[in-house]
Amino acid sequence: MKLDVIRLDGDKVGDIELDAALFGLEPRADILHRVVRWQRARAQAGTHKVKTRSEVSYSTRKIYRQKGTGGARHGARSAPIFRGGGVYAGPTPRSHAHDLPKKFRRLGLLHALSAKAKAGEIVVIEAAESDGRTGALAKQVAKLGWKRALIIDGTEVHEGFARAARNIEGLDILPSAGANVYDILRRDTLVLTKAGLEALEARLK
């Protein structure tokens, strides 16, 4: 697949051939789904917590005598069957992360890139550089029609561009090492710099 290479002002400066091994696969929803689930599970806080009967604020005094009441035997009001008592087998802080083989994670990234290529939602720019002024970059982004875009740069992101892009809604920028399935799929446009494209090819070959 051949794409135009443009500058941020919209001018064409050349073209580039996308590697079919990275961008020419037939996207599989099951692979993308598994990788996104793995990513979101790792990001989940897992801080949910309820109080057990040993943690609720209640007296441990026996609420009535053991025998002769005609009712069931009870020890304390902190028992789970009473209102305000502790919760039995409730959630506790834990990690939701699960394992996913490295080869499968790489495959998921390939399918995400291929899905964007198939949908025609990939743009290649010469470089992502800016003097750090948000207003000037926002005008360029609006002119290019990027409403929800992810920009993937080379090994490092240009400091001025990152500063200018920070306050533009719907615009994210990542170094090539941070490229991931979830962020690629959640944005409408995937923007690759030439350096970012080379770094991705080197990473995924």
Side-chain angles (χ1 to χ4, degrees):
M1 176 187 284
K2 186 173 284 188
L3 288 180
D4 292 340
V5 179
I6 63 172
R7 287 198 294 258
L8 284 172
D9 58 11
D11 292 340
K12 178 182 174 181
V13 293
D15 52 51
I16 197 165
E17 186 74 30
L18 297 184
D19 191 340
L22 273 65
F23 298 91
L25 303 179
E26 185 62 32
R28 280 181 48 183
D30 59 324
I31 292 176
L32 296 173
H33 177 254
R34 277 189 63 183
V35 178
V36 169
R37 278 196 63 227
W38 170 78
Q39 278 189 249
R40 302 315 297 155
R42 283 170 57 88
Q44 193 168 342
T47 52
H48 38 21
K49 173 76 172 70
V50 294
K51 289 185 177 182
T52 65
R53 66 179 299 173
S54 66
E55 296 168 321
V56 293
S57 181
Y58 262 120
S59 169
T60 56
R61 174 181 175 272
K62 190 170 177 64
I63 57 178
Y64 49 73
R65 66 182 188 272
Q66 179 83 349
K67 294 180 177 292
T69 64
R73 298 166 291 184
H74 291 294
R77 283 281 177 189
S78 60
I81 67 168
F82 292 116
R83 183 177 181 276
V87 176
Y88 170 72
T92 56
R94 68 182 180 91
S95 170
H96 290 268
H98 57 266
D99 292 333
L100 192 67
K102 190 178 290 186
K103 287 183 179 179
F104 201 95
R105 295 180 337 233
R106 175 184 172 276
L107 187 62
L109 190 51
L110 292 176
H111 278 260
L113 293 172
S114 296
K116 285 296 180 185
K118 186 175 182 181
E121 296 173 348
I122 291 182
V123 177
V124 180
I125 60 174
E126 189 174 34
E129 296 179 355
S130 172
D131 58 3
R133 291 184 301 164
T134 297
L137 180 59
K139 288 179 182 177
Q140 291 176 325
V141 169
K143 183 180 176 183
L144 290 166
W146 300 345
K147 293 183 179 178
R148 287 166 44 85
L150 169 66
I151 301 174
I152 296 179
D153 207 349
T155 53
E156 291 185 1
V157 175
H158 186 268
E159 185 179 346
F161 189 89
R163 188 166 63 251
R166 202 171 346 184
N167 290 326
I168 300 177
E169 185 180 2
L171 188 67
D172 290 332
I173 181 165
L174 292 172
S176 59
N180 64 87
V181 174
Y182 178 69
D183 282 327
I184 289 173
L185 295 180
R186 68 194 286 257
R187 294 301 186 189
D188 296 334
T189 307
L190 174 61
V191 182
L192 302 171
T193 65
K194 289 179 72 175
L197 186 57
E198 291 171 2
L200 277 177
E201 289 175 349
R203 171 184 169 185
L204 297 171
K205 279 293 183 70

